[in-house]
């Protein structure tokens, strides 16, 4: 191994005692490859197993916690106990390769396609229009909000029973938790909406519920993480400053990690902070101040990309598209073969890369999303 990459392969121990063998994690990425009932398929299991050997932890694609939370075709479910065997197969495949398995749990909210939810009843924080929707989503009642909070807890219990090492609460990328935090999609006048602090009520309640379920049901240390977006591009959306307030509160929740969702690791904030020349990662690391580990992510393809990112002081790095392009990324770096890491997708190697057809079709039909496409 090249000495300049050695620190990426030092172990990391969470406060709960769980130890990661290195600092490199597989980021959560939707793969559209489960069956119509929400069960994990063999193709999906193979895809994860192919990428789980080198990394220390795998965060799965998002898993819906209620039937009306399904956000994508081919998404796997965690909304009933009947899904536990499906969840168990995926956890086992990841852990058999030596990585920790973390189930990402979510509700799609307004982003759910009507044909994927019961009776086409799409819900959100308020009556809002989603991307590519023909009619507005319906605002959840307070009772329904409480039911969804409970559902996050129930899916956490299922993850424990299915053998996962943890869960990641998906509060990013425009889905339901994000919708409650955003002033664009949350115009509620009850305790779940209004001021910034009130818009934080729903995410904080989910964190509390998940942690209480872990305390009650987990017989061994169990990871709880939270993923968030840094800011919204729209002027009336939440700013980087708003997110720093959220992150400051989350850092006091005794979570095992926080995970920012970024397309570019070194991107800079749009607004909401005085110094827009500092990167978002710098602002986040300063706000968190070592209270909980932050996972950094965003366009890390080469060994040098990873080294430069790690030098910012972030303790953990997540690779997403890089591991689709080259499933042996971590092993090559460990073996001193960093020059052999592939950084552009090879359109002729679907079988070798072990990518399911639905995901492969999405990759090759999305110009610019992957290097080489």
């Amino acid at each position: 191994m090249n000495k300049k990459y050695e620190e990426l392969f030092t172990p990391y121990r969470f406060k709960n005692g769980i130890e990661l063998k290195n600092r490199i994690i597989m980021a959560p990425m939707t793969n559209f490859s489960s069956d119509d009932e929400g069960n994990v398929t063999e193709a999906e299991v193979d895809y994860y197993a192919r990428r789980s050997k080198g990394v220390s932890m795998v965060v799965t694609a998002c898993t819906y916690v209620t039937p009306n939370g399904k956000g994508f075709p081919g998404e796997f479910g965690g909304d009933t106990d009947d899904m536990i065997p499906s969840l168990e197969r995926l956890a086992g495949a990841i852990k058999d390769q030596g990585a920790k398995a973390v189930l990402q749990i979510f509700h799609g909210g307004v982003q759910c396609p009507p044909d994927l939810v019961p009776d086409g009843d799409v819900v959100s924080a308020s009556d809002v229009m989603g991307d590519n929707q023909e009619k507005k989503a319906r605002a959840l009642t307070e009772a329904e909000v409480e039911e969804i909070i409970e559902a996050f807890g129930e899916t956490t219990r299922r993850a424990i029973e299915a053998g996962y090492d943890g869960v990641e609460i998906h509060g990013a990328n425009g889905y339901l938790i994000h919708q409650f935090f955003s002033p664009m999609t949350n115009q509620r006048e009850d305790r779940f909406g209004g001021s910034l602090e009130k818009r934080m009520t729903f995410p904080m309640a989910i964190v509390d519920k998940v942690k209480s379920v872990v305390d009650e049901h987990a017989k061994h240390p169990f990871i709880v993480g939270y993923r968030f977006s840094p800011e919204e591009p729209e002027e009336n959306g939440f700013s980087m400053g708003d997110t720093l307030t959220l992150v400051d509160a989350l850092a006091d929740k005794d979570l095992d990690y926080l995970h920012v969702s970024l397309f570019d690791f070194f991107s800079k904030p749009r607004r909401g902070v005085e110094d827009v020349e500092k990167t978002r990662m710098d602002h986040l690391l300063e706000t968190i101040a070592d209270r909980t580990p932050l996972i950094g992510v965003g366009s890390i393809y080469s060994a040098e990309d990873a080294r430069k990112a790690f030098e910012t002081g972030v303790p953990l790095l997540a690779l997403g598209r890089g591991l689709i392009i080259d499933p042996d990324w971590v092993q090559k770096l460990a073996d001193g073969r960093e020059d052999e890491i592939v950084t552009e997708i090879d359109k002729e190697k679907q079988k070798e890369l072990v990518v399911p057809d639905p995901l492969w079709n999405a990759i090759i039909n999305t110009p610019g999303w992957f290097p080489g496409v």
Side-chain angles (χ1 to χ4, degrees):
M1 183 192 306
N2 189 318
K3 283 193 173 182
K4 64 181 178 178
Y5 305 121
E6 282 181 344
E7 288 193 7
L8 286 164
F9 290 90
T10 56
Y12 185 87
R13 186 181 294 273
F14 290 115
K15 285 185 291 186
N16 65 12
I18 292 178
E19 185 171 282
L20 303 182
K21 64 185 179 183
N22 60 47
R23 306 303 183 95
I24 305 169
I25 290 160
M26 181 173 170
M29 293 176 287
T30 301
N31 57 62
F32 315 104
S33 300
S34 298
D35 68 22
D36 291 341
E37 284 70 48
N39 294 292
V40 174
T41 61
E42 286 304 311
E44 206 166 2
V45 168
D46 293 344
Y47 160 81
Y48 277 102
R50 178 71 178 86
R51 289 161 175 82
S52 298
K53 188 172 184 180
V55 297
S56 59
M57 185 169 85
V58 172
V59 184
T60 71
C62 51
T63 307
Y64 54 93
V65 302
T66 63
N68 68 354
K70 186 173 184 177
F72 310 96
E75 182 184 352
F76 64 97
D79 57 320
T80 69
D81 285 0
D82 290 342
M83 307 310 296
I84 292 174
S86 164
L87 297 173
E88 190 173 26
R89 284 196 299 275
L90 182 54
I94 294 167
K95 294 169 70 170
D96 284 349
Q97 298 301 314
K100 303 298 182 187
V102 172
L103 184 72
Q104 190 185 65
I105 54 178
F106 106 134
H107 188 296
V110 70
Q111 303 300 347
C112 294
D115 61 336
L116 294 183
V117 301
D119 302 320
D121 185 25
V122 178
V123 297
S124 184
S126 300
D127 296 329
V128 291
M129 191 77 76
D131 299 337
N132 304 314
Q133 303 284 38
E134 294 182 0
K135 65 177 183 177
K136 286 185 175 181
R138 174 179 64 80
L140 290 158
T141 66
E142 281 198 59
E144 288 173 324
V145 174
E146 294 288 356
E147 288 171 1
I148 289 175
I149 293 168
E150 289 295 319
F152 273 90
E154 281 295 282
T155 301
T156 299
R157 174 185 59 78
R158 294 177 191 115
I160 293 168
E161 293 181 16
Y164 283 85
D165 299 292
V167 294
E168 178 176 283
I169 300 164
H170 193 356
N173 300 358
Y175 302 119
L176 186 64
I177 298 175
H178 178 132
Q179 289 158 34
F180 268 83
F181 183 59
S182 171
M184 289 197 305
T185 43
N186 186 346
Q187 289 104 41
R188 302 177 72 96
E189 296 179 353
D190 59 11
R191 63 192 178 91
F192 292 106
S195 67
L196 173 61
E197 287 70 25
K198 285 188 174 181
R199 297 198 313 273
M200 289 164 49
T201 302
F202 182 63
M204 292 300 175
I206 290 173
V207 168
D208 290 342
K209 171 54 65 174
V210 167
K211 286 177 61 63
S212 72
V213 168
V214 171
D215 289 343
E216 181 179 354
H217 292 280
K219 297 186 172 107
H220 309 285
F222 190 82
I223 298 164
V224 179
Y226 186 101
R227 197 171 206 212
F228 61 94
S229 292
E231 58 185 319
E232 292 179 308
E234 297 86 356
E235 284 295 324
N236 58 338
F238 64 79
S239 69
M240 188 75 212
D242 294 335
T243 292
L244 294 180
T245 300
L246 172 66
V247 165
D248 185 48
L250 288 169
D252 283 336
K253 282 290 187 181
D254 200 31
L255 291 160
D256 294 293
Y257 70 81
L258 296 173
H259 186 183
V260 62
S261 178
L262 282 174
F263 190 81
D264 177 3
F265 185 96
F266 292 99
S267 62
K268 295 177 180 179
R270 295 181 178 90
R271 65 190 192 287
V273 291
E274 289 186 11
D275 190 348
V276 294
E277 291 306 310
K278 283 198 307 190
T279 67
R280 288 161 166 163
M281 291 300 302
D282 286 338
H283 282 286
L284 291 167
L285 288 167
E286 286 178 9
T287 297
I288 294 167
D290 297 324
R291 284 176 287 169
T292 194
L294 175 65
I295 300 176
V297 69
S299 298
I300 297 171
Y301 296 107
S302 69
E304 277 301 286
D305 292 339
R307 183 187 64 79
K308 290 174 184 175
F310 196 63
E311 283 184 347
T312 65
V314 67
L316 299 165
L317 287 179
L319 274 63
R321 290 162 290 160
L323 286 173
I324 294 179
I325 294 166
D326 191 342
D328 299 314
W329 197 101
V330 181
Q331 296 93 313
K332 288 177 180 178
L333 188 60
D335 293 342
R337 297 185 291 127
E338 60 270 13
D339 292 342
E340 297 178 23
I341 291 174
V342 182
T343 57
E344 292 191 357
I345 196 79
D346 189 331
K347 299 178 188 177
E348 306 301 318
K349 291 191 174 180
Q350 179 190 1
K351 186 174 181 180
E352 181 180 326
L353 295 175
V354 193
V355 178
D357 288 341
L359 176 57
W360 189 256
N361 292 334
I363 290 169
I364 62 175
N365 291 316
T366 312
W369 184 248
F370 278 76
V373 175

